Amino acid sequence: MADSSFDVVSKVDKMEAENAVNQAAKEIEQRYDFKGAGASIAFSGEDVLIKANSEERARAVLDVLQSKAIKRSISLKSLDAGDPFPSGKEFRIEVKFKNGIEQDVAKKIGAFLRAQAPKRVKSQIQGDELRVSSKSRDDLQNTIQLLKGEEFDVPLQFVNFR
């Protein structure tokens, strides 16, 4: 019998991210406390650019984006927001959506699996994802539950269960 496997990935649905940014932009246009603050938010592929006339307003726009992301089931761990920096007369914040598991985090997950998962479970790093395999499907399901219970630096999804 061939090994069963699944992939551990960390991806943000691009459409959900775009919807979160669009909803944040609509709220910023309508809210009274943002009137005259020069506050705006723009999405360009992978990056989001937040602009406002003060550092506090820029942080408030970031807060609106974070709340919209949570409502769209996007983990805040996948948002990488920089610090506000002045640019001319305005302050800007650059926000990136993280996709993929970085090498050091993948190694940390692999070490965790070697220590905690059943001995028949094997893991290997494949680019920006982690493949977990075993002869027993029950071991794999137990491994998924084990990974869901542990905190890592990235949100984890489990795909391609075969």
Side-chain angles (χ1 to χ4, degrees):
M1 183 172 163
D3 282 1
S4 298
S5 67
F6 68 88
D7 294 334
V8 180
V9 297
S10 178
K11 295 197 186 313
V12 174
D13 184 6
K14 190 170 179 149
M15 287 307 298
E16 290 296 329
E18 194 171 329
N19 288 339
V21 172
N22 289 339
Q23 286 178 348
K26 283 182 183 177
E27 183 170 326
I28 290 164
E29 287 175 11
Q30 294 173 352
R31 275 184 37 182
Y32 179 76
D33 56 337
F34 287 118
K35 296 283 189 221
S40 68
I41 185 169
F43 186 64
S44 61
E46 299 292 318
D47 300 341
V48 177
L49 183 63
I50 295 172
K51 298 178 189 176
N53 62 4
S54 71
E55 186 174 342
E56 295 81 30
R57 287 287 127 218
R59 288 189 191 278
V61 173
L62 176 62
D63 190 44
V64 169
L65 174 63
Q66 289 173 339
S67 69
K68 296 302 179 186
I70 289 171
K71 286 183 182 176
R72 309 270 340 156
S73 301
I74 298 173
S75 173
L76 292 183
K77 292 179 189 175
S78 60
L79 287 178
D80 186 19
D83 291 327
F85 61 92
S87 175
K89 292 183 179 180
E90 64 187 10
F91 283 84
R92 295 181 176 201
I93 300 176
E94 291 178 351
V95 181
K96 296 184 186 304
F97 287 100
K98 294 186 215 170
N99 276 316
I101 301 174
E102 294 176 2
Q103 199 74 17
D104 58 331
V105 176
K107 287 179 182 178
K108 194 183 303 180
I109 295 170
F112 173 76
L113 289 177
R114 281 192 297 282
Q116 300 291 331
K119 296 298 176 206
R120 295 183 299 261
V121 173
K122 304 283 185 240
S123 66
Q124 74 185 79
I125 299 171
Q126 295 181 335
D128 61 351
E129 57 187 42
L130 191 72
R131 166 85 32 101
V132 180
S133 59
S134 175
K135 292 204 182 292
S136 168
R137 289 176 155 265
D138 290 339
D139 285 349
L140 290 179
Q141 289 175 339
N142 292 338
T143 303
I144 288 174
Q145 293 307 314
L146 196 64
L147 287 172
K148 283 183 178 179
E150 191 67 22
E151 274 298 313
F152 294 102
D153 296 338
V154 293
L156 301 178
Q157 293 96 29
F158 308 99
V159 296
N160 297 334
F161 193 94
R162 303 186 184 104

